[in-house]
Amino acid sequence: MSVQSFDESLLDDAEALQHADAALRGLAEAGARVRTEANASNDVAERLTQLGRPRALVAAGADARLLRAVLEPWCPVPFVAWPGPGLPGWVGALDLVVVLAPGGSDAETQSAVQEAVRRGSTLIVACPTQSPLAEMAEGRDTILVPSQTGDALAVAVVVLQLLHVLELGPEVNGESVAMALDDVASRCSPYADLASNPAKDLSLVLAEALPLVWGGSVLAARAGRRVAETLRRASGRAALAADADHLVPVIEGSPPRDLFADPWADPAATPLRPALFVLDDGSEQPVIRANRGRLLATAEKAQVHTRTISWTEGPEVARYAALQSMGTYVAIYLAVGLGKYLPAAT
């Protein structure tokens, strides 16, 4: 793949940034959305005190994987993340089904809700109150979490708080998540120039690279996959998030750096080399340290550029949210530098 021309001056250009205003504004308001969802669910927590411990917990829908990343190490009952249609055949009246659909629903989510109601399972569904999914979910054993913002992360934080009330998950502090998102928004604001903005600085690294993203913990790895998805959408380039065993051969197989390359050559004729981005959430288990060391040593040997994106403050879900948010800022600034948000020439 060849390099598309990247103009770093656009990162501090008010007119260029204006074309990315909607995306940047959405990131800046992420903390406020978490608070909005938390306030809207205050009454729901009181209803949960009437529920006993289920036989098993099933998280269904497209965002089930985030719940799995948080709950699997902690949940005291069998837990299954089920992103596909319907529900596992064994799910019944003794089980709890959780569905996240903050923006409405798709056919798979609807089928999971219908199956939960039909089988008499206890159902917690997070969706807009005035939506077809809310109507499908109506029943004696259904608890509706009223989604206000359409923000998947904000709704997931609220549902995780509710599951803690049921003693099915760890304590999740919504305000700490909101504060972390506010902090990222301040550090990565479009009004912060290139010299002081970490997201703009990281976008320069990606101007001539294909990102390889690695996170050591379960949540950091999940953030890495979301960041890679965002980079692909924003830039139209490849981006890979994977574990160390999959990234090492990619790094080892990268083309050698040409020390005699013409710095003034046409960027379109220059092949992209990988760059390794390590997402560090402060997790220091021995296996994580070993994998990180192996990746960094391999990258150094292959002369692959490496950068570490760190967020080690606050609870683990707040760190996850901050890493994902910062990666999204990087993707937007990369798109701005590539001219992706600029109007077509007339």
Side-chain angles (χ1 to χ4, degrees):
M1 183 176 290
S2 300
V3 179
Q4 184 176 350
S5 179
F6 183 92
D7 184 354
E8 66 179 78
S9 68
L10 295 176
L11 300 181
D12 289 332
D13 182 275
E15 183 178 354
L17 290 168
Q18 182 61 35
H19 295 295
D21 181 69
L24 291 167
R25 187 179 299 275
L27 281 175
E29 296 171 348
R33 290 195 294 273
V34 172
R35 295 184 180 96
T36 297
E37 295 290 358
N39 290 336
S41 67
N42 285 336
D43 295 339
V44 178
E46 298 178 4
R47 298 177 57 194
L48 294 179
T49 58
Q50 306 169 11
L51 300 180
R53 176 171 291 186
R55 177 182 63 177
L57 170 59
V58 180
D63 293 303
R65 293 183 179 89
L66 174 56
L67 297 185
R68 177 175 63 188
V70 178
L71 295 175
E72 270 190 341
W74 203 97
C75 189
V77 301
F79 174 84
V80 174
W82 190 262
L87 292 172
W90 52 264
V91 174
L94 299 178
D95 305 306
L96 171 62
V97 177
V98 178
V99 175
L100 304 184
S105 64
D106 52 26
E108 287 79 6
T109 304
Q110 291 176 6
S111 67
V113 167
Q114 289 171 333
E115 280 295 300
V117 172
R118 184 180 69 82
R119 301 184 197 185
S121 304
T122 301
L123 174 64
I124 296 177
V125 56
C127 67
T129 54
Q130 303 299 319
S131 67
L133 190 66
E135 295 179 9
M136 291 180 188
E138 287 181 355
R140 179 173 55 87
D141 299 309
T142 296
I143 295 175
L144 178 67
V145 181
S147 171
Q148 307 291 303
T149 65
D151 187 313
L153 175 60
V155 171
V157 167
V158 168
V159 170
L160 287 168
Q161 289 181 304
L162 296 175
L163 292 174
H164 174 68
V165 172
L166 290 172
E167 300 182 349
L168 296 175
E171 183 176 4
V172 175
N173 187 310
E175 181 57 26
S176 70
V177 176
M179 290 176 63
L181 292 169
D182 289 345
D183 197 355
V184 174
S186 176
R187 298 187 195 187
C188 301
S189 166
Y191 302 108
D193 62 23
L194 182 58
S196 60
N197 189 318
K200 289 182 180 180
D201 178 60
L202 287 168
S203 73
L204 289 180
V205 178
L206 288 178
E208 299 179 0
L210 293 175
L212 307 177
V213 188
W214 177 81
S217 70
V218 174
L219 277 172
R222 178 64 188 159
R225 287 190 287 273
R226 296 302 301 269
V227 169
E229 291 169 4
T230 305
L231 287 169
R232 289 192 293 267
R233 288 196 301 269
S235 68
R237 295 177 175 177
L240 174 64
D243 60 28
D245 289 338
H246 290 93
L247 292 179
V248 164
V250 176
I251 295 172
E252 291 176 333
S254 62
R257 188 181 299 277
D258 185 0
L259 298 178
F260 302 101
D262 180 3
W264 307 108
D266 181 5
T270 306
L272 291 172
R273 300 185 77 248
L276 174 64
F277 285 79
V278 174
L279 301 188
D280 175 21
D281 65 354
S283 299
E284 287 295 331
Q285 290 93 332
V287 66
I288 293 176
R289 290 199 303 269
N291 283 331
R292 182 169 57 229
R294 181 160 60 104
L295 277 169
L296 294 176
T298 303
E300 182 179 10
K301 184 177 180 180
Q303 296 184 312
V304 166
H305 195 93
T306 63
R307 293 292 293 270
T308 298
I309 305 175
S310 294
W311 201 281
T312 59
E313 307 159 12
E316 60 176 6
V317 177
R319 287 176 264 150
Y320 162 84
L323 288 173
Q324 180 182 317
S325 179
M326 184 171 289
T328 304
Y329 270 106
V330 173
I332 292 173
Y333 290 132
L334 176 63
V336 170
L338 293 172
K340 294 288 186 177
Y341 286 97
L342 298 181
T346 57

